[in-house]
Amino acid sequence: MASKRHQESGADKRKKKRQRDDVRASMAGSMLRYVQGAPQDPDDQLSTSSSSTHHQSPISADSATAPSPDQPSTSSLGTDATQPTTTTSGRVSSVTERRSASDIVETYVPPPTDPALWPAHISDTDRVETVRRGPLKVSPDFSFPKGPDGRAFHSSLQFKTLPNGEKINRSWVVYSPQNNAVICFACKLFSVKDIKLTAEGHSDWSNINTSLRGHECSPNHTQCMVKWRELGTRLKKGMAIDQAELTLLEAERKKWRDILKRLLSITLSLASRNLSFRGSSEHPYEPDNGNFLKEVDMATYDPVMEIHLAKIKDERSHTHYLSHETQNELIQIISSETLRTIVRHIQSAKYFSIILDCTPDLSHKEQMSVIVRIVHLQLQPDIKEYFLGYIDVEETTGLSLSNVILEKLKELGIPPEHRCK
């Protein structure tokens, strides 16, 4: 009789690997919830003057992410990857995080900012958190995709023009990058009716004005707007029924925001000095654990980090944001924000020039470095040079290099017409 197989089959291993990859991908950008700015109150988003069109430009909901469809996340305070924790003997060992019932309550995951990614049935906790955060605002430099008829969403749809010419902000109009459609924020949260503006969204851009005018005059929309405003007012004044739970949730959010701000400062300090992050050990409180963890060890003089590290050492918390995956994500966040700032400076300049240089790497693969030179318009003109990165090229002919650099500028949103010299 054949012996029973003790090892997993290749199909089972691949299946588990796909599950781990899916979980890891769903957690991308989960830390940004704790470093984004304070949300706007729905009452503050209304404007009854015509000048609101010029002063209320949309801003991105995530301050360190490019304008893209929001991704749902399944964890807010950690990853399922192997991360270092402390044993009872004081030595930090590498273990896989396990979720308990208390961890789930402590690590509440807010709903995505894109309403198209919200569940069909929204819980009261998610509804309160969404009202506190406010509607999603798309970044001003976001390029709205066009439909088959060549039409696209326009920011003017977020304003209603009265017969006397006065413009009122439609705070309930939310553009969903995920579905390329318009969704009613108030009805999505409070309406029990299943209509197009609360399901997949309205994307018929040729008839969008008629649909919005008809929807905002409906009794169901009016009731949902009243519920939204009342809940927003109670949250602002601290008069909600579950105010004690909301206070604890806000304290937890502030704690993690303060921790991530300190970790971002450490990351920025090491990156600006071109220092390595990791050492031969990935465990805190050990020699040769790298510059990042050594800076964290020295941060025990800070009250916030002192409490955080004490919980890790006493095994009261297995979530710490000190793993190498977190370090890479912090570096990527800073890199993306730095690149966006550079692009804004280039876009504000009247002219810019490009400096290219090709050289093979160790694998004999041709790489082209891209440097942009501008005159920064300040109190006094200042010449700036910005390095935009390396680009892999297949051919080094003039035509090939020109196509590659034009494609790169188009990807970054830098128009080369009439300004590149």
Side-chain angles (χ1 to χ4, degrees), residues 235-268:
L235 293 175
K236 184 177 180 181
K237 296 182 178 180
M239 299 171 57
I241 298 177
D242 53 350
Q243 186 60 36
E245 288 77 6
L246 293 176
T247 303
L248 293 176
L249 183 61
E250 182 61 30
E252 184 73 12
R253 183 183 294 108
K254 182 179 183 302
K255 181 194 74 173
W256 287 108
R257 184 183 294 118
D258 292 340
I259 292 173
L260 286 175
K261 283 182 178 179
R262 285 153 175 81
L263 296 181
L264 280 170
S265 299
I266 294 175
T267 303
L268 185 60

Side-chain angles (χ1 to χ4, degrees), residues 267-373:
T267 303
L268 185 60
S269 175
L270 295 177
S272 62
R273 291 177 290 165
N274 199 24
L275 296 177
S276 62
F277 279 61
R278 298 169 60 186
S280 58
S281 172
E282 292 192 23
H283 307 314
Y285 308 111
E286 285 192 359
D288 302 327
N289 57 0
N291 293 321
F292 182 84
L293 292 180
K294 188 60 65 177
E295 292 280 348
V296 172
D297 294 344
M298 297 177 61
T300 52
Y301 295 100
D302 180 78
V304 175
M305 294 302 296
E306 181 182 8
I307 298 175
H308 179 57
L309 295 175
K311 289 183 178 181
I312 298 174
K313 188 175 181 179
D314 298 340
E315 293 187 328
R316 287 180 291 165
S317 174
H318 297 292
T319 304
H320 40 68
Y321 281 129
L322 302 180
S323 65
H324 62 274
E325 291 94 347
T326 302
Q327 297 176 30
N328 293 337
E329 188 172 355
L330 291 174
I331 294 173
Q332 184 60 40
I333 290 173
I334 295 176
S335 174
S336 301
E337 185 63 26
T338 302
L339 183 59
R340 278 196 294 271
T341 302
I342 292 175
V343 170
R344 286 196 294 267
H345 289 173
I346 297 175
Q347 292 173 344
S348 63
K350 187 174 183 180
Y351 300 105
F352 65 89
S353 60
I354 303 177
I355 305 174
L356 307 177
D357 186 22
C358 292
T359 181
D361 57 8
L362 294 177
S363 61
H364 303 287
K365 192 172 185 178
E366 199 72 24
Q367 289 186 334
M368 178 174 64
S369 61
V370 182
I371 299 176
V372 175
R373 184 183 179 95

Side-chain angles (χ1 to χ4, degrees), residues 19-63:
Q19 292 176 352
R20 290 194 300 269
D21 293 341
D22 293 341
V23 173
R24 189 177 296 109
S26 66
M27 295 176 184
S30 60
M31 295 186 300
L32 295 178
R33 292 187 302 274
Y34 301 100
V35 295
Q36 64 185 5
Q40 292 181 334
D41 183 75
D43 292 337
D44 298 335
Q45 295 174 353
L46 291 178
S47 173
T48 57
S49 63
S50 59
S51 61
S52 62
T53 308
H54 306 285
H55 295 291
Q56 293 188 355
S57 59
I59 59 174
S60 175
D62 290 335
S63 61

Side-chain angles (χ1 to χ4, degrees), residues 88-294:
T88 55
S89 60
R91 175 181 173 82
V92 179
S93 61
S94 180
V95 298
T96 303
E97 288 192 22
R98 302 268 181 197
R99 296 285 177 177
S100 62
S102 59
D103 292 335
I104 296 176
V105 175
E106 180 184 0
T107 60
Y108 164 70
V109 182
T113 56
D114 193 330
L117 300 175
W118 294 350
H121 301 283
I122 303 176
S123 63
D124 292 339
T125 304
D126 289 344
R127 185 177 292 109
V128 170
E129 172 62 20
T130 304
V131 171
R132 187 201 65 81
R133 186 171 53 192
L136 168 68
K137 295 297 181 181
V138 183
S139 176
D141 56 355
F142 181 70
S143 178
F144 297 101
K146 296 182 179 179
D149 56 353
R151 297 174 181 268
F153 177 83
H154 195 270
S155 58
S156 61
L157 296 174
Q158 296 178 327
F159 296 90
K160 176 184 177 180
T161 303
L162 300 180
N164 60 357
E166 185 180 3
K167 292 186 177 181
I168 299 179
N169 181 24
R170 288 171 169 159
S171 58
W172 52 271
V173 173
V174 178
Y175 174 78
S176 169
Q178 176 74 18
N179 292 357
N180 186 26
V182 168
I183 296 178
C184 178
F185 181 81
C187 296
K188 182 72 172 178
L189 288 175
F190 298 98
S191 178
V192 295
K193 296 183 178 180
D194 188 11
I195 59 177
K196 196 169 186 179
L197 279 171
T198 60
E200 70 275 7
H202 196 288
S203 57
D204 184 8
W205 306 123
S206 58
N207 300 314
I208 186 64
N209 285 298
T210 304
S211 300
L212 294 180
R213 285 195 295 266
H215 177 73
E216 63 187 353
C217 296
S218 63
N220 180 64
H221 173 75
T222 303
Q223 295 175 3
C224 294
M225 288 292 295
V226 172
K227 294 179 181 178
W228 175 26
R229 298 295 177 76
E230 288 180 350
L231 180 56
T233 302
R234 292 199 303 268
L235 293 175
K236 184 177 180 181
K237 296 182 178 180
M239 299 171 57
I241 298 177
D242 53 350
Q243 186 60 36
E245 288 77 6
L246 293 176
T247 303
L248 293 176
L249 183 61
E250 182 61 30
E252 184 73 12
R253 183 183 294 108
K254 182 179 183 302
K255 181 194 74 173
W256 287 108
R257 184 183 294 118
D258 292 340
I259 292 173
L260 286 175
K261 283 182 178 179
R262 285 153 175 81
L263 296 181
L264 280 170
S265 299
I266 294 175
T267 303
L268 185 60
S269 175
L270 295 177
S272 62
R273 291 177 290 165
N274 199 24
L275 296 177
S276 62
F277 279 61
R278 298 169 60 186
S280 58
S281 172
E282 292 192 23
H283 307 314
Y285 308 111
E286 285 192 359
D288 302 327
N289 57 0
N291 293 321
F292 182 84
L293 292 180
K294 188 60 65 177

Side-chain angles (χ1 to χ4, degrees), residues 402-419:
S402 298
N403 293 333
V404 169
I405 188 60
L406 289 176
E407 186 67 25
K408 181 65 176 180
L409 294 177
K410 182 180 178 181
E411 176 186 342
L412 296 176
I414 303 175
E417 298 84 3
H418 310 295
R419 297 206 304 166

